[in-house]
Structures are given as C-alpha cells and as structure tokens.
Amino acid sequence: MKIKEWLQSLSFRTGVIVLMCCIPFYILSFAQMLLPISATIKGVLWAVLFGLAKTCQYGGLTILGVEGYRRLRNKFKNQ
C-alpha cells in the first residue's frame, strides 16, 4: 500500500508524463516484430516492452487517480 500512496502523492503533470510514456513502449513492442531476429528473442522483447508499457499505463493512472483521469479526459474532449 505504501507504493500506491507514494504514487498518488505525485503531481498531475508527472502522472500525465508517465502515462504518455506507455505509447512508445506499445509501439516498440509491436514494431520489433519486423526485425530480422529469432522468434525467441522477439518473444522476450515483446514481453519486456509490453510489460513496460503496461507498467507505465497503470502507474500513470494510479498517479492521476479518478479525479485526474476525469480532468485529463475533459481536457481532450474540449480540444
């Protein structure tokens, strides 16, 4: 529980930055399939990169919290 409390104490801006970090990891996790390497290495790279993407996603959402998520969603709706 201490990790969750610490993450929630971080700022809205930090939450948005961490949440946006998941985008390059998602792109890399699937783009690496185009590399001419063995299937085993591709599987390992996919697991690592996809895991990093999910970690950034859930970490960012934890930092933002429900109210921060609503604030971010409203910001994108208004633009």
Side-chain angles (χ1 to χ4, degrees), residues 20-73:
M20 292 302 137
C21 285
C22 74
I23 295 170
F25 286 125
Y26 277 125
I27 292 169
L28 288 173
S29 69
F30 290 103
Q32 59 84 25
M33 294 294 181
L34 301 173
L35 295 175
I37 53 179
S38 72
T40 305
I41 295 174
K42 285 181 184 182
V44 170
L45 279 174
W46 183 83
V48 169
L49 292 169
F50 195 77
L52 285 170
K54 283 295 184 185
T55 302
C56 287
Q57 179 183 353
Y58 293 133
L61 289 174
T62 302
I63 293 169
L64 289 176
V66 175
E67 192 58 40
Y69 174 74
R70 285 186 189 137
R71 183 175 157 193
L72 186 63
R73 188 180 65 197

